[in-house]
């Protein structure tokens, strides 16, 4: 058997050469339908080899299926019935091993004699030239060239020509398959865009680290034109992520990819074209190849700003509820401690009264009882006040000029200010207006200023600075003194609690800051304090418009 | 005077330290103590901070610690809990005989007091003469 191949084109006859060139040219035409390919190949084989029949059989498992047969006599394309590989094992084995079967006398040839009874004799075939057709090294079919009646000897040129035909057929089949896949891909992308166009979620697809698809909904979400978004570099993307979130996003992506996670989520803030950040939630689906690198990286991105807003709303409500609960706990504390401490004193005094007959002693105890009663009444009064603050927080707000309002409040305690030689600096612009409940505001300022006076240092003249800081829809008022200061390490948690005092002053009842905090919270504000023993304190409260 | 209440301790003068800012309670306790044993001595300190100072001074001067310490929980400067935290750090903590005397009915606080080895007992207010006598006769 001869092993000549296609590169040995010196073997071609002129006719062979012309036919192959013709075939080559036609292969550029659209070969979407493989039938055309088979027609051309079988016809060319019949013509070039001057034979009676040429056919292409595809091999599926152990069955040979005739796909296309051209018969010179009838000048028609048809098919033969299927053949089973087990009926002619030698022939089939030869094809599988890639051997071109060159049978000058098919009836006696070692590979084709098996076909004698069922195929060769009934069809009158005398000579065969059968070539395996492979795709990626796998046998997928066979090109059969058959001659009838008078025996012939296959020339080297015939063999080379047939080999070329089979090689071209292999390539065309492969090409066709690739075209179909490309078409399917295009189709699937079209399908994807049909889905994504009608979804508010954004879709982004990376293939081999290259951005290959970006849905209009995605660019819409970002506020960019599609071509602008398409040109984003990875760096651009990371730059648009909120600085507080960027590290989290980076870590999430790298960690999940290194763990070969197929799917993961991440929430972060992203800056759209408008310059504003919005919350988005990305769900990434990643396909990895055998090397462990990712082939496909699909991101489904959703604008979750509304959800985040609701979440914030809930957490704000939660804080309010938590505050209310803390206040309730404070109440329980007062009832358990302050009311009880008075009643238990009363019980003990009553015991003493009962146990004595001495009238003088009894009188003394009576005075004590009166004192206890007074304290108890006081406690209940303040309890009631606290409840009232909460109930009347819906009272009407009015517009106040901050500076003149504070001046007016301080005038009310002018005597105390003067007696204590306190210097109060009101560093507030003239036309600063606030919208608040006047009685609450007065109580807050009064409490904080009188506190500063009460706890002044004897080592220096008292200076109180009142400042304001204007925010977006809020403002903060600072009341700073150079008094005794509070030990923050010890008292941080209880500074605004009820009945907490810090200086051991006998007249301190521990209600001022508790009430102040209540007033501020009733106005929807917050209060915080910084202080250092021996230097002074600064109270800062923030109210919202 | 309650008869037979503390025959055993009649001879020894006991020193009681009350750490409490409630002057009425302190006054009442003084009265009751004088009825149990007229010779016993009651000292009052109004906050944990000064009490800590007082005890540290005794330790430094190697004097006698009070026989009993009645500690209130809610006080200015250094409250009862903070006082106990500070005491835990001191070398002489085991020489002290501390009773928490409080009007709290908060179970959590009563439970918490059990966590301090220095605390002998949680005594709820009001405290009766019999209760007090029982405690004072323990030593």
């Amino acid at each position: 058997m001869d092993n000549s191949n296609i590169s040995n084109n010196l073997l071609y006859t002129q006719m062979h050469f012309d036919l192959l060139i013709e075939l080559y040219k036609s292969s550029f035409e659209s070969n979407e339908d493989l039938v055309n390919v088979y027609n051309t190949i079988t016809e060319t084989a019949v013509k070039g080899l001057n034979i009676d029949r040429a056919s292409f059989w595809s091999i599926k498992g152990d069955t040979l299926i005739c796909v296309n047969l051209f018969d010179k006599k009838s000048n028609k394309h048809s098919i033969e019935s299927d053949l089973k590989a087990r009926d002619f094992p030698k022939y089939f084995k030869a094809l599988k091993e890639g051997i071109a079967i060159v049978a000058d006398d098919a009836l006696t040839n070692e590979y084709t004699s098996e076909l004698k009874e069922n195929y060769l004799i009934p069809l009158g075939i005398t000579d065969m030239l059968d070539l395996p057709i492979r795709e990626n090294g796998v046998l997928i079919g066979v090109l059969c060239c058959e001659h009838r009646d008078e025996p012939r000897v296959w020339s080297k040129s015939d063999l080379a020509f047939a080999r070329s035909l089979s090689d071209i057929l292999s390539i065309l089949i492969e090409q066709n398959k690739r075209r179909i896949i490309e078409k399917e891909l295009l189709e699937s992308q079209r399908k994807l865009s049909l889905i994504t166009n009608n979804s508010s979620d954004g879709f982004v697809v990376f293939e081999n680290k290259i951005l290959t698809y970006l849905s209009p909904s995605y660019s819409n979400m970002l506020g960019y034109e599609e071509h602008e978004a398409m040109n984003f570099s990875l760096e651009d993307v990371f730059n648009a992520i909120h600085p507080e979130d960027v590290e989290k996003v980076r870590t999430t992506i790298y960690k999940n990819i290194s763990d070969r996670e197929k799917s993961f989520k991440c929430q972060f803030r992203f800056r759209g074209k408008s310059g504003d950040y919005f919350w988005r939630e990305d769900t990434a689906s990643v396909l990895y190849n055998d090397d462990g690198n990712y082939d496909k990286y699909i991101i489904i991105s959703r604008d979750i700003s509304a959800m985040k807003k609701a979440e914030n709303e809930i957490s704000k409500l939660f804080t309010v509820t938590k505050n209310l609960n803390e206040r309730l706990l404070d109440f329980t504390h007062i009832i358990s401690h302050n009311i009880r401490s008075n009643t238990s004193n009363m019980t003990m005094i009553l015991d003493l009264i009962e146990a004595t007959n001495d009238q003088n002693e009894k009188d003394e105890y009576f005075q004590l009882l009166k004192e206890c009663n007074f304290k108890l009444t006081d406690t209940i009064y303040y309890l009631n006040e606290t409840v009232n603050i909460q109930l009347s927080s819906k009272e009407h707000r009015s517009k106040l000029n901050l500076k003149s309002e504070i001046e007016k409040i301080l005038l009310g305690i002018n005597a105390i200010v003067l007696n204590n030689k306190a210097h109060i600096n009101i560093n507030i612009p003239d036309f600063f207006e606030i919208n608040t409940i006047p009685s609450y505001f007065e109580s807050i300022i009064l409490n904080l200023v009188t506190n500063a006076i009460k706890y002044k240092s004897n080592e220096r003249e008292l200076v109180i600075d009142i400042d304001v800081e204007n925010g977006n829809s809020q403002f903060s008022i600072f009341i700073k003194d150079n008094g005794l200061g509070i030990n923050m390490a010890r008292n941080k948690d209880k500074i605004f609690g009820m009945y907490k005092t810090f200086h051991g002053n006998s007249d301190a009842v521990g209600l001022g800051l508790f009430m102040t905090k209540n007033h501020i919270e009733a106005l929807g504000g917050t209060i915080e304090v910084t202080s250092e023993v021996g230097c002074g304190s600064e109270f800062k409260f923030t109210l919202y418009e | 005077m309650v008869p037979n209440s503390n025959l055993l301790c009649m001879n020894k003068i006991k020193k009681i330290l009350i750490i409490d800012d409630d002057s009425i309670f302190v006054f009442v306790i003084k009265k009751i103590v004088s009825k149990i044993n007229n010779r016993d001595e009651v000292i009052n300190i109004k906050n944990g901070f000064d009490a800590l100072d007082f005890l540290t001074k005794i330790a430094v001067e190697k004097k006698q610690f009070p026989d009993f310490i009645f500690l209130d929980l809610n006080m200015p400067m250094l409250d009862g809990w903070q006082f106990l935290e500070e005491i835990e750090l001191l070398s002489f903590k085991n020489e002290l005989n501390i009773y928490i005397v409080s009007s709290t009915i908060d179970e959590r606080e009563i439970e918490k007091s059990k966590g301090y080895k220095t605390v002998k007992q949680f005594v709820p207010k009001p405290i009766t003469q019999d209760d007090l006598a029982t405690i004072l006769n323990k030593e």
Side-chain angles (χ1 to χ4, degrees):
Chain A
M1 201 164 55
D2 201 282
N3 279 327
S4 15
N5 58 40
I6 194 162
S7 60
N8 239 337
N9 62 0
L10 284 173
L11 293 167
Y12 294 145
T13 63
Q14 188 57 45
M15 181 190 59
H16 286 161
F17 190 71
D18 292 345
L19 280 170
L20 287 173
I21 290 294
E22 198 58 39
L23 187 64
Y24 175 71
K25 278 194 219 152
S26 77
S27 73
F28 286 112
E29 289 161 17
S30 159
N31 284 319
E32 269 184 40
D33 201 346
L34 267 178
V35 174
N36 290 333
V37 172
Y38 299 138
N39 284 347
T40 317
I41 291 283
T42 48
E43 282 168 33
T44 309
V46 165
K47 206 183 273 174
L49 295 170
N50 192 24
I51 51 172
D52 293 295
R53 297 163 28 118
S55 55
F56 171 70
W57 300 66
S58 84
I59 296 174
K60 296 251 160 68
D62 75 334
T63 309
L64 275 106
I65 304 156
C66 184
V67 178
N68 193 310
L69 170 91
F70 180 66
D71 193 298
K72 188 158 96 178
K73 241 177 233 164
S74 64
N75 196 28
K76 269 186 187 148
H77 291 271
S78 64
I79 52 168
E80 283 282 351
S81 22
D82 297 353
L83 296 173
K84 287 287 173 193
R86 60 171 178 270
D87 295 334
F88 26 88
K90 281 184 192 159
Y91 172 78
F92 198 68
K93 190 167 173 265
L95 287 178
K96 269 205 150 167
E97 284 167 4
I99 295 168
I101 297 164
V102 187
D104 289 340
D105 183 358
L107 294 172
T108 57
N109 181 280
E110 69 164 306
Y111 300 120
T112 59
S113 57
E114 313 173 316
L115 294 155
K116 194 168 154 187
E117 304 297 330
N118 291 335
Y119 189 78
L120 300 176
I121 293 179
L123 292 168
I125 292 164
T126 50
D127 308 81
M128 286 180 88
L129 181 55
D130 285 11
L131 296 129
I133 306 293
R134 279 176 296 177
E135 191 190 327
N136 297 326
V138 177
L139 183 70
I140 58 153
V142 54
L143 179 64
C144 296
C145 309
E146 294 158 346
H147 189 65
R148 276 192 187 126
D149 305 329
E150 64 221 67
R152 65 175 285 178
V153 176
W154 301 108
S155 69
K156 277 188 177 177
S157 167
D158 290 338
L159 200 58
F161 176 70
R163 276 185 193 281
S164 299
L165 277 184
S166 73
D167 285 344
I168 289 169
L169 181 58
S170 290
I171 290 166
L172 289 179
I173 289 175
E174 211 180 295
Q175 239 175 33
N176 186 269
K177 224 176 220 171
R178 206 178 303 140
R179 270 203 196 102
I180 289 170
I181 290 170
E182 274 167 16
K183 221 178 117 189
E184 276 173 355
L185 236 153
L186 218 73
E187 196 66 24
S188 87
Q189 275 211 353
R190 241 190 60 207
K191 273 188 243 158
L192 186 65
S193 65
L194 273 177
I195 300 165
T196 58
N197 284 350
N198 292 312
S199 163
S200 58
D201 290 355
F203 289 75
V204 184
V205 180
F206 288 92
E207 277 166 288
N208 300 316
K209 305 191 181 187
I210 295 160
L211 178 62
T212 54
Y213 178 75
L214 193 143
S215 74
S217 49
Y218 182 77
S219 30
N220 268 347
M221 192 167 81
L222 267 52
Y224 284 101
E225 295 296 323
E226 210 169 320
H227 66 270
E228 290 177 302
M230 205 72 192
N231 286 326
F232 266 19
S233 71
L234 203 61
E235 207 186 327
D236 293 335
V237 172
F238 276 109
N239 282 340
I241 296 175
H242 195 282
E244 284 171 22
D245 298 339
V246 71
E247 220 27 63
K248 178 184 75 184
V249 176
R250 228 185 266 275
T251 327
T252 307
I253 294 174
Y254 292 149
K255 188 178 181 310
N256 281 292
I257 285 188
S258 75
D259 290 349
R260 305 278 172 275
E261 285 293 340
K262 287 191 187 107
S263 175
F264 52 90
K265 278 178 199 264
C266 193
Q267 293 186 351
F268 56 93
R269 281 160 288 179
F270 197 83
R271 193 178 53 230
K273 195 179 188 178
S274 68
D276 293 335
Y277 284 99
F278 66 95
W279 274 100
R280 61 188 260 192
E281 182 186 70
D282 281 17
T283 308
S285 302
V286 191
L287 298 176
Y288 300 92
N289 58 26
D290 296 337
D291 311 331
N293 296 318
Y294 61 88
D295 283 340
K296 240 183 194 192
Y297 191 105
I298 303 159
I299 297 166
I300 302 173
S301 189
R302 178 171 291 183
D303 185 335
I304 54 162
S305 299
M307 195 182 91
K308 276 285 169 189
K309 205 179 150 199
E311 236 173 57
N312 280 342
E313 218 45 52
I314 290 168
S315 99
K316 226 188 238 170
L317 275 175
F318 176 75
T319 315
V320 169
T321 316
K322 214 176 121 209
N323 282 340
L324 283 175
N325 275 334
E326 270 169 23
R327 207 168 298 146
L328 203 67
L329 215 72
D330 261 337
F331 264 68
T332 322
H333 209 94
I334 298 149
I335 290 160
S336 95
H337 188 270
N338 291 76
I339 294 183
R340 255 183 74 83
S341 70
N342 285 308
T343 55
S344 80
N345 280 345
M346 284 168 148
T347 309
M348 287 163 77
I349 296 164
L350 287 170
D351 279 351
L352 285 171
I353 292 175
E354 213 170 32
T356 185
N357 289 319
D358 184 338
Q359 191 54 44
N360 285 340
E361 215 181 320
K362 278 192 185 199
D363 287 348
E364 191 182 11
Y365 296 147
F366 182 70
Q367 285 307 316
L368 277 183
L369 264 187
K370 272 176 77 177
E371 206 177 310
C372 279
N373 179 55
F374 176 75
K375 278 194 170 177
L376 190 58
T377 312
D378 227 27
T379 302
I380 291 166
Y381 168 79
Y382 278 114
L383 262 176
N384 199 37
E385 275 298 282
T386 318
V387 176
N388 277 343
I389 293 173
Q390 296 313 312
L391 290 180
S392 56
S393 64
K394 297 208 164 47
E395 213 176 280
H396 286 302
R397 290 168 183 247
S398 44
K399 264 206 154 56
L400 303 175
N401 179 293
L402 185 60
K403 192 176 186 179
S404 61
E405 187 64 23
I406 291 178
E407 283 169 346
K408 201 175 84 192
I409 295 165
L410 295 182
L411 210 62
I413 53 165
N414 203 23
I416 305 170
V417 174
L418 289 177
N419 276 341
N420 288 281
K421 296 193 179 76
H423 303 283
I424 304 181
N425 305 315
I426 306 173
N427 314 312
I428 292 170
D430 284 340
F431 300 107
F432 198 99
E433 289 212 319
I434 62 167
N435 194 16
T436 193
I437 302 173
S439 62
Y440 286 14
F441 187 74
E442 181 181 347
S443 158
I444 295 162
I445 295 292
L446 218 51
N447 244 321
L448 291 175
V449 173
T450 50
N451 256 353
I453 294 173
K454 212 184 280 180
Y455 304 114
K456 70 181 165 93
S457 167
N458 290 327
E459 290 163 19
R460 52 191 170 265
E461 295 238 308
L462 177 63
V463 180
I464 302 171
D465 282 296
I466 304 177
D467 292 84
V468 69
E469 191 182 273
N470 199 7
N472 216 347
S473 56
Q474 68 189 64
F475 61 92
S476 300
I477 293 175
F478 299 81
I479 297 182
K480 189 181 175 195
D481 66 55
N482 60 350
L484 293 168
I486 300 165
N487 185 332
M488 292 304 288
R490 270 194 192 135
N491 298 308
K492 196 167 171 286
D493 297 331
K494 39 184 208 177
I495 200 157
F496 296 107
M498 205 168 194
Y499 291 98
K500 305 288 185 193
T501 56
F502 310 98
H503 300 93
N505 271 22
S506 55
D507 63 335
V509 282
L511 276 167
L513 286 177
F514 176 74
M515 297 298 266
T516 300
K517 186 168 190 252
N518 266 284
H519 278 122
I520 290 167
E521 280 174 0
L523 289 171
T526 55
I527 181 164
E528 50 196 273
V529 58
T530 48
S531 187
E532 201 177 315
V533 174
C535 292
S537 307
E538 182 179 63
F539 286 86
K540 169 194 178 184
F541 66 96
T542 305
L543 297 177
Y544 300 86
E545 287 294 328
Chain B
M1 268 285 242
V2 177
N4 309 325
S5 66
N6 44 17
L7 286 169
L8 276 169
C9 305
M10 283 298 265
N11 299 328
K12 197 189 166 225
I13 296 172
K14 285 188 282 286
K15 223 187 209 175
I16 303 155
L17 168 63
I18 304 180
I19 309 171
D20 199 323
D21 62 329
D22 180 350
S23 51
I24 296 176
F25 177 75
V26 174
F27 179 88
V28 172
I29 288 293
K30 277 183 178 166
K31 274 281 177 205
I32 299 173
V33 168
S34 74
K35 283 167 190 272
I36 296 168
N37 184 351
N38 206 16
R39 295 188 298 163
D40 284 349
E41 190 186 334
V42 180
I43 317 151
N44 172 228
I45 293 174
K46 289 194 181 297
N47 66 67
F49 191 78
D50 293 342
L52 204 64
D53 217 35
F54 174 79
L55 292 172
T56 315
K57 219 173 195 171
I58 291 179
V60 170
E61 291 170 4
K62 294 194 170 33
K63 286 186 180 163
Q64 199 64 36
F65 285 112
D67 299 286
F68 298 94
I69 296 171
F70 295 161
L71 176 68
D72 185 26
L73 291 177
N74 200 347
M75 282 180 300
M77 307 279 278
L78 203 65
D79 70 19
W81 300 121
Q82 290 171 324
F83 172 81
L84 287 172
E85 291 295 339
E86 298 286 337
I87 284 290
E88 286 290 325
L89 307 172
L90 299 174
S91 56
F92 56 83
K93 62 178 176 189
N94 294 324
E95 296 172 49
L96 304 176
N97 208 9
I98 301 174
Y99 290 78
I100 292 180
V101 183
S102 167
S103 58
T104 187
I105 45 168
D106 191 336
E107 275 302 325
R108 289 166 300 179
E109 289 201 299
I110 296 167
E111 210 42 52
K112 189 178 171 187
S113 71
K114 291 178 184 163
Y116 292 90
K117 282 188 200 128
T118 42
V119 176
K120 288 275 173 327
Q121 200 186 321
F122 182 93
V123 184
K125 289 180 188 175
I127 183 166
T128 65
Q129 190 168 328
D130 286 347
D131 293 338
L132 199 57
T134 312
I135 293 167
L136 295 181
N137 285 338
K138 270 186 185 163
E139 287 292 296

